Amino acid sequence: MRQSLLAELANVVGEENLYTGADASDKYGQDWTRFFKPNPGAVVFARNADQVVRLVGFANEHELALVPSGGRTGLSGGAVAERDEIVVSFDKMNRILAFDEVENSVTVEAGVITAELQRYASDKGLFYPVDFASSGSSQIGGNIATNAGGIRVLRYGLTRDQITGLEVVTRSGQRLALNRGLVKNATGYDFRHLFIGSEGTLGFILEATIRLVSPPGDPAVILMALPAMEEVMNVFSAFRSRLPLTAYEFFSEEALLHVMSHTGVSRPFATKAGYYALLEFDRAAAGAASATEAFASCVEKGLVSDGVISQSEQQRGNLWRYREDISASITPFTPYKNDISVRVSSVPGFLKAVQEEVGRRYPDFEIVWFGHIGDGNLHLNILKPGDWDVETFKRKCEGVSESVMAIVARFEGSVSAEHGVGLLKRDQLGFTRSEAEIALMRAVKKAFDPNNIMNPGKLI
Ligand SMILES: Cc1cc2nc3c(=O)[nH]c(=O)nc-3n(C[C@H](O)[C@H](O)[C@H](O)COP(=O)(O)OP(=O)(O)OC[C@H]3O[C@@H](n4cnc5c(N)ncnc54)[C@H](O)[C@@H]3O)c2cc1C
């Protein structure tokens, strides 16, 4: 960005809020995806609504694009600035503003780290259920903008289900208080839900009011070895009919091997298997006997070949690590991530079809399977061979992804279950959203952002 414009920008947002460190581009110009070259024009720290309104006015006047940036843990390139945009970071808007003890709700600034909110809820004797491996870095604003899911959707729902109010600033500088924490509000279009999952394309999320829930009584984890992928949903049904499940995850032997080599942990049990299922349930609500019964029944039917149940809080945490450390363990291999979903009842047929296609189309690549399979969500990761350059690898994966997405479309699923569309999945949107829907999405975008300055090029 021109020096004179930068100087003007500094006046508008406050010089101390313009980040000019040598790492500005690498640190604030990208998220966890490594397929795009970061090239932001400037990095600004959002401080309050008045300042963001001034910034938006400046961007309109000079036709400058704005990229909202949270914890930059996104996996779809949503927070990438590659075309001289102004990155607007919420790192400094990280206060917990109010707790309502009648409603058990909390109002926070967008930059509060997800794990911070979880700790806050726990200190109040409550629970913030949205959780995933990047919770220690991701921000509430980013979670809302991507409608983040994670490991406990099965029991508690998505980020969307926890949000009762939002404060936003639109590109025209309007400050909107959306739903204001109300439980009931039947007054037409609910713009709160439009902003949830909008990936920074409609405006900035500055504050959120969030419902907290009662904590689970005595959560326990069971990790099991499965001889074949087909058994994943049979085991799910066997446990779900007997236990109040809070999570049901699966991963492949390749995923386990990466976690072991990355973190140095040993195998959870001696038996090796092609696939593993990890479930969490509330032992207090279930009674230990029903878990043992379900496990015994699965072993008897040949669905499960080995397993372990946590006996302490520490063991529960240790078992979760086998699942939660997969993403970090494969990151050095520049994984191309497919984050796809279908209805839970369609999972068995879908897994079979995808497995066949992937075996046929990716014979030379290492494939790592895992996912929140109890929600119908599969993470299919293709690892880059060491001697391939990133661009050639991405092109090859995009080509093959077309046939995987055609299967997703055939099963009436989604090309992005929870990571968002961003830059990475934008060209795949049409597989699972109709032309009519995409045209309406464009019209909504235009109504909020006619100059197309809010995160342009992302999502649609
Ligand atoms: C190891 C690992 C595991 C993960 N596991 C999961 C998982 O299980 N489930 C899941 O859903 N995701 C998962 N993710 C993806 C990621 O953590 C989520 O998408 C998360 O919600 C992103 O939050 P963030 O603050 O990092 O957002 P960013 O990456 O900074 O931004 C994401 C999007 O939100 C927009 N945005 C950010 N802040 C604002 C704001 N204040 N106002 C408007 N728009 C904004 C950005 O422009 C961008 O489009 C994982 C990521 C990693 C690295």
Short mmCIF file of all heavy atoms in Angstrom, two decimals, residues 285-327:
data_model
loop_
_atom_site.label_atom_id
_atom_site.label_comp_id
_atom_site.label_asym_id
_atom_site.label_seq_id
_atom_site.Cartn_x
_atom_site.Cartn_y
_atom_site.Cartn_z
N ALA A 285 -24.67 -40.23 33.74
CA ALA A 285 -26.03 -40.38 33.21
C ALA A 285 -26.28 -41.81 32.73
O ALA A 285 -27.43 -42.26 32.68
CB ALA A 285 -26.25 -39.40 32.07
N ALA A 286 -25.22 -42.53 32.37
CA ALA A 286 -25.39 -43.83 31.71
C ALA A 286 -25.29 -45.01 32.65
O ALA A 286 -25.98 -46.01 32.49
CB ALA A 286 -24.34 -43.98 30.63
N GLY A 287 -24.40 -44.91 33.64
CA GLY A 287 -24.08 -46.11 34.43
C GLY A 287 -23.02 -46.89 33.68
O GLY A 287 -23.12 -47.07 32.46
N ALA A 288 -21.99 -47.34 34.40
CA ALA A 288 -20.84 -47.99 33.75
C ALA A 288 -21.25 -49.28 33.05
O ALA A 288 -20.69 -49.66 32.04
CB ALA A 288 -19.75 -48.25 34.77
N ALA A 289 -22.30 -49.95 33.57
CA ALA A 289 -22.66 -51.27 33.04
C ALA A 289 -23.05 -51.18 31.57
O ALA A 289 -22.67 -52.03 30.77
CB ALA A 289 -23.80 -51.85 33.85
N SER A 290 -23.80 -50.13 31.19
CA SER A 290 -24.27 -50.08 29.80
C SER A 290 -23.11 -49.92 28.82
O SER A 290 -23.17 -50.42 27.69
CB SER A 290 -25.30 -48.97 29.62
OG SER A 290 -24.96 -47.84 30.36
N ALA A 291 -22.04 -49.23 29.25
CA ALA A 291 -20.87 -49.09 28.37
C ALA A 291 -20.21 -50.46 28.17
O ALA A 291 -19.86 -50.84 27.05
CB ALA A 291 -19.88 -48.11 28.97
N THR A 292 -20.06 -51.19 29.27
CA THR A 292 -19.42 -52.51 29.19
C THR A 292 -20.26 -53.45 28.33
O THR A 292 -19.74 -54.21 27.51
CB THR A 292 -19.26 -53.11 30.61
OG1 THR A 292 -18.90 -52.07 31.48
CG2 THR A 292 -18.22 -54.20 30.67
N GLU A 293 -21.57 -53.38 28.52
CA GLU A 293 -22.48 -54.23 27.73
C GLU A 293 -22.36 -53.93 26.23
O GLU A 293 -22.27 -54.84 25.40
CB GLU A 293 -23.94 -53.95 28.14
CG GLU A 293 -24.42 -54.75 29.33
CD GLU A 293 -25.69 -54.12 29.89
OE1 GLU A 293 -26.51 -53.57 29.09
OE2 GLU A 293 -25.82 -54.16 31.11
N ALA A 294 -22.36 -52.64 25.91
CA ALA A 294 -22.27 -52.25 24.50
C ALA A 294 -20.95 -52.73 23.91
O ALA A 294 -20.91 -53.25 22.78
CB ALA A 294 -22.39 -50.73 24.36
N PHE A 295 -19.88 -52.57 24.67
CA PHE A 295 -18.56 -52.98 24.19
C PHE A 295 -18.53 -54.50 23.96
O PHE A 295 -18.11 -54.99 22.90
CB PHE A 295 -17.48 -52.56 25.20
CG PHE A 295 -16.09 -52.90 24.76
CD1 PHE A 295 -15.45 -52.14 23.79
CD2 PHE A 295 -15.41 -54.00 25.30
CE1 PHE A 295 -14.16 -52.47 23.36
CE2 PHE A 295 -14.13 -54.32 24.88
CZ PHE A 295 -13.51 -53.56 23.90
N ALA A 296 -19.04 -55.25 24.96
CA ALA A 296 -19.04 -56.72 24.86
C ALA A 296 -19.85 -57.17 23.65
O ALA A 296 -19.45 -58.08 22.90
CB ALA A 296 -19.60 -57.33 26.15
N SER A 297 -20.97 -56.51 23.43
CA SER A 297 -21.83 -56.89 22.31
C SER A 297 -21.10 -56.63 20.98
O SER A 297 -21.18 -57.45 20.04
CB SER A 297 -23.14 -56.11 22.41
OG SER A 297 -23.68 -55.87 21.17
N CYS A 298 -20.35 -55.53 20.89
CA CYS A 298 -19.61 -55.22 19.65
C CYS A 298 -18.50 -56.24 19.42
O CYS A 298 -18.27 -56.68 18.28
CB CYS A 298 -19.02 -53.82 19.71
SG CYS A 298 -20.24 -52.53 19.52
N VAL A 299 -17.82 -56.65 20.50
CA VAL A 299 -16.74 -57.64 20.37
C VAL A 299 -17.33 -58.97 19.89
O VAL A 299 -16.83 -59.61 18.96
CB VAL A 299 -15.98 -57.81 21.70
CG1 VAL A 299 -14.99 -58.97 21.62
CG2 VAL A 299 -15.25 -56.52 22.07
N GLU A 300 -18.43 -59.35 20.52
CA GLU A 300 -19.07 -60.63 20.18
C GLU A 300 -19.48 -60.68 18.70
O GLU A 300 -19.32 -61.70 18.03
CB GLU A 300 -20.32 -60.76 21.06
CG GLU A 300 -20.83 -62.18 21.21
CD GLU A 300 -22.03 -62.16 22.15
OE1 GLU A 300 -21.90 -61.58 23.25
OE2 GLU A 300 -23.07 -62.67 21.74
N LYS A 301 -19.94 -59.55 18.19
CA LYS A 301 -20.39 -59.52 16.79
C LYS A 301 -19.23 -59.30 15.81
O LYS A 301 -19.44 -59.18 14.60
CB LYS A 301 -21.39 -58.38 16.58
CG LYS A 301 -22.72 -58.65 17.25
CD LYS A 301 -23.66 -57.48 16.96
CE LYS A 301 -24.96 -57.64 17.71
NZ LYS A 301 -25.54 -56.39 18.12
N GLY A 302 -18.01 -59.15 16.33
CA GLY A 302 -16.84 -58.96 15.47
C GLY A 302 -16.71 -57.55 14.91
O GLY A 302 -15.98 -57.32 13.95
N LEU A 303 -17.42 -56.58 15.53
CA LEU A 303 -17.33 -55.20 15.05
C LEU A 303 -16.10 -54.50 15.61
O LEU A 303 -15.62 -53.51 15.06
CB LEU A 303 -18.57 -54.39 15.47
CG LEU A 303 -19.95 -54.99 15.20
CD1 LEU A 303 -21.04 -54.06 15.71
CD2 LEU A 303 -20.13 -55.22 13.71
N VAL A 304 -15.64 -54.99 16.78
CA VAL A 304 -14.54 -54.36 17.50
C VAL A 304 -13.54 -55.44 17.87
O VAL A 304 -13.93 -56.52 18.32
CB VAL A 304 -15.10 -53.67 18.77
CG1 VAL A 304 -14.00 -53.34 19.75
CG2 VAL A 304 -15.87 -52.41 18.41
N SER A 305 -12.22 -55.14 17.71
CA SER A 305 -11.24 -56.17 18.03
C SER A 305 -10.44 -55.87 19.31
O SER A 305 -9.76 -56.75 19.85
CB SER A 305 -10.26 -56.38 16.87
OG SER A 305 -9.80 -55.14 16.39
N ASP A 306 -10.51 -54.64 19.82
CA ASP A 306 -9.82 -54.31 21.08
C ASP A 306 -10.35 -52.95 21.53
O ASP A 306 -11.02 -52.25 20.75
CB ASP A 306 -8.30 -54.25 20.87
CG ASP A 306 -7.53 -54.49 22.17
OD1 ASP A 306 -8.15 -54.44 23.24
OD2 ASP A 306 -6.31 -54.71 22.09
N GLY A 307 -10.02 -52.57 22.76
CA GLY A 307 -10.47 -51.25 23.19
C GLY A 307 -10.02 -50.93 24.60
O GLY A 307 -9.51 -51.79 25.32
N VAL A 308 -10.19 -49.65 24.97
CA VAL A 308 -9.81 -49.21 26.31
C VAL A 308 -10.80 -48.13 26.73
O VAL A 308 -11.28 -47.35 25.90
CB VAL A 308 -8.34 -48.69 26.32
CG1 VAL A 308 -8.12 -47.57 25.33
CG2 VAL A 308 -7.93 -48.22 27.70
N ILE A 309 -11.14 -48.12 28.03
CA ILE A 309 -12.05 -47.10 28.55
C ILE A 309 -11.30 -46.27 29.60
O ILE A 309 -10.53 -46.83 30.39
CB ILE A 309 -13.34 -47.75 29.13
CG1 ILE A 309 -14.29 -46.67 29.65
CG2 ILE A 309 -13.05 -48.75 30.22
CD1 ILE A 309 -15.71 -47.17 29.91
N SER A 310 -11.50 -44.96 29.57
CA SER A 310 -10.75 -44.11 30.51
C SER A 310 -11.24 -44.34 31.94
O SER A 310 -12.45 -44.50 32.17
CB SER A 310 -10.93 -42.64 30.13
OG SER A 310 -12.28 -42.25 30.26
N GLN A 311 -10.29 -44.36 32.87
CA GLN A 311 -10.64 -44.56 34.28
C GLN A 311 -10.40 -43.31 35.10
O GLN A 311 -10.65 -43.30 36.29
CB GLN A 311 -9.79 -45.72 34.86
CG GLN A 311 -9.99 -47.06 34.17
CD GLN A 311 -11.43 -47.58 34.26
OE1 GLN A 311 -12.18 -47.19 35.15
NE2 GLN A 311 -11.82 -48.45 33.34
N SER A 312 -9.85 -42.29 34.47
CA SER A 312 -9.60 -41.04 35.20
C SER A 312 -9.69 -39.89 34.21
O SER A 312 -9.69 -40.10 32.99
CB SER A 312 -8.19 -41.05 35.80
OG SER A 312 -7.24 -41.05 34.75
N GLU A 313 -9.73 -38.69 34.75
CA GLU A 313 -9.81 -37.50 33.90
C GLU A 313 -8.54 -37.39 33.04
O GLU A 313 -8.60 -37.05 31.87
CB GLU A 313 -9.96 -36.28 34.83
CG GLU A 313 -10.39 -34.99 34.18
CD GLU A 313 -11.56 -35.10 33.20
OE1 GLU A 313 -12.39 -36.01 33.30
OE2 GLU A 313 -11.60 -34.25 32.29
N GLN A 314 -7.41 -37.74 33.65
CA GLN A 314 -6.16 -37.65 32.88
C GLN A 314 -6.15 -38.66 31.72
O GLN A 314 -5.75 -38.34 30.60
CB GLN A 314 -4.96 -37.90 33.79
CG GLN A 314 -3.68 -37.57 33.07
CD GLN A 314 -2.44 -37.82 33.88
OE1 GLN A 314 -2.50 -38.07 35.08
NE2 GLN A 314 -1.30 -37.76 33.22
N GLN A 315 -6.64 -39.86 32.00
CA GLN A 315 -6.69 -40.88 30.93
C GLN A 315 -7.65 -40.47 29.82
O GLN A 315 -7.39 -40.69 28.64
CB GLN A 315 -7.15 -42.20 31.54
CG GLN A 315 -6.24 -43.33 31.20
CD GLN A 315 -6.78 -44.64 31.75
OE1 GLN A 315 -7.81 -44.67 32.43
NE2 GLN A 315 -6.10 -45.71 31.44
N ARG A 316 -8.74 -39.83 30.22
CA ARG A 316 -9.69 -39.34 29.21
C ARG A 316 -8.98 -38.35 28.28
O ARG A 316 -9.07 -38.44 27.05
CB ARG A 316 -10.90 -38.67 29.89
CG ARG A 316 -11.94 -38.17 28.91
CD ARG A 316 -13.15 -37.62 29.65
NE ARG A 316 -12.92 -36.30 30.19
CZ ARG A 316 -13.20 -35.17 29.56
NH1 ARG A 316 -13.76 -35.19 28.38
NH2 ARG A 316 -12.96 -34.00 30.14
N GLY A 317 -8.24 -37.41 28.90
CA GLY A 317 -7.51 -36.42 28.11
C GLY A 317 -6.49 -37.09 27.21
O GLY A 317 -6.34 -36.72 26.03
N ASN A 318 -5.79 -38.09 27.75
CA ASN A 318 -4.76 -38.78 26.96
C ASN A 318 -5.37 -39.50 25.76
O ASN A 318 -4.81 -39.50 24.66
CB ASN A 318 -4.00 -39.80 27.81
CG ASN A 318 -3.13 -39.11 28.85
OD1 ASN A 318 -2.90 -37.90 28.75
ND2 ASN A 318 -2.67 -39.84 29.84
N LEU A 319 -6.53 -40.11 25.95
CA LEU A 319 -7.16 -40.83 24.83
C LEU A 319 -7.62 -39.84 23.75
O LEU A 319 -7.48 -40.10 22.56
CB LEU A 319 -8.34 -41.67 25.32
CG LEU A 319 -7.95 -42.91 26.15
CD1 LEU A 319 -9.19 -43.64 26.65
CD2 LEU A 319 -7.07 -43.87 25.35
N TRP A 320 -8.12 -38.68 24.19
CA TRP A 320 -8.54 -37.67 23.20
C TRP A 320 -7.38 -37.23 22.32
O TRP A 320 -7.54 -36.86 21.17
CB TRP A 320 -9.14 -36.44 23.89
CG TRP A 320 -10.65 -36.45 23.94
CD1 TRP A 320 -11.43 -36.45 25.05
CD2 TRP A 320 -11.55 -36.43 22.82
NE1 TRP A 320 -12.76 -36.45 24.70
CE2 TRP A 320 -12.86 -36.43 23.34
CE3 TRP A 320 -11.39 -36.42 21.43
CZ2 TRP A 320 -14.00 -36.42 22.54
CZ3 TRP A 320 -12.52 -36.41 20.62
CH2 TRP A 320 -13.81 -36.41 21.17
N ARG A 321 -6.17 -37.25 22.89
CA ARG A 321 -5.00 -36.77 22.13
C ARG A 321 -4.81 -37.58 20.83
O ARG A 321 -4.37 -37.03 19.83
CB ARG A 321 -3.72 -36.82 22.96
CG ARG A 321 -3.73 -35.93 24.20
CD ARG A 321 -3.04 -34.58 23.98
NE ARG A 321 -3.51 -33.80 22.87
CZ ARG A 321 -4.49 -32.87 22.91
NH1 ARG A 321 -5.09 -32.61 24.05
NH2 ARG A 321 -4.83 -32.20 21.84
N TYR A 322 -5.16 -38.87 20.87
CA TYR A 322 -4.98 -39.69 19.64
C TYR A 322 -5.82 -39.11 18.50
O TYR A 322 -5.44 -39.21 17.34
CB TYR A 322 -5.40 -41.15 19.89
CG TYR A 322 -4.43 -41.89 20.77
CD1 TYR A 322 -4.75 -42.19 22.09
CD2 TYR A 322 -3.19 -42.28 20.28
CE1 TYR A 322 -3.86 -42.86 22.89
CE2 TYR A 322 -2.28 -42.95 21.09
CZ TYR A 322 -2.63 -43.24 22.40
OH TYR A 322 -1.73 -43.89 23.20
N ARG A 323 -6.93 -38.52 18.82
CA ARG A 323 -7.78 -37.92 17.79
C ARG A 323 -7.43 -36.44 17.56
O ARG A 323 -7.31 -35.99 16.42
CB ARG A 323 -9.25 -38.09 18.19
CG ARG A 323 -10.25 -37.23 17.43
CD ARG A 323 -10.30 -37.59 15.94
NE ARG A 323 -11.19 -36.67 15.25
CZ ARG A 323 -10.83 -35.49 14.75
NH1 ARG A 323 -9.58 -35.06 14.85
NH2 ARG A 323 -11.72 -34.72 14.15
N GLU A 324 -7.25 -35.72 18.66
CA GLU A 324 -7.08 -34.27 18.55
C GLU A 324 -5.73 -33.87 17.97
O GLU A 324 -5.59 -32.77 17.44
CB GLU A 324 -7.26 -33.62 19.94
CG GLU A 324 -8.69 -33.63 20.43
CD GLU A 324 -9.54 -32.57 19.75
OE1 GLU A 324 -9.87 -32.76 18.57
OE2 GLU A 324 -9.86 -31.55 20.37
N ASP A 325 -4.73 -34.72 18.06
CA ASP A 325 -3.40 -34.35 17.56
C ASP A 325 -3.20 -34.72 16.08
O ASP A 325 -2.11 -34.52 15.54
CB ASP A 325 -2.30 -35.01 18.41
CG ASP A 325 -2.19 -34.32 19.78
OD1 ASP A 325 -2.70 -33.21 19.92
OD2 ASP A 325 -1.62 -34.92 20.71
N ILE A 326 -4.23 -35.25 15.44
CA ILE A 326 -4.03 -35.69 14.04
C ILE A 326 -3.71 -34.49 13.13
O ILE A 326 -2.73 -34.52 12.38
CB ILE A 326 -5.27 -36.44 13.50
CG1 ILE A 326 -5.53 -37.71 14.30
CG2 ILE A 326 -5.07 -36.81 12.01
CD1 ILE A 326 -6.84 -38.42 13.96
N SER A 327 -4.50 -33.42 13.24
CA SER A 327 -4.30 -32.28 12.33
C SER A 327 -2.89 -31.73 12.44
O SER A 327 -2.21 -31.49 11.43
CB SER A 327 -5.30 -31.15 12.63
OG SER A 327 -6.52 -31.44 12.02
#
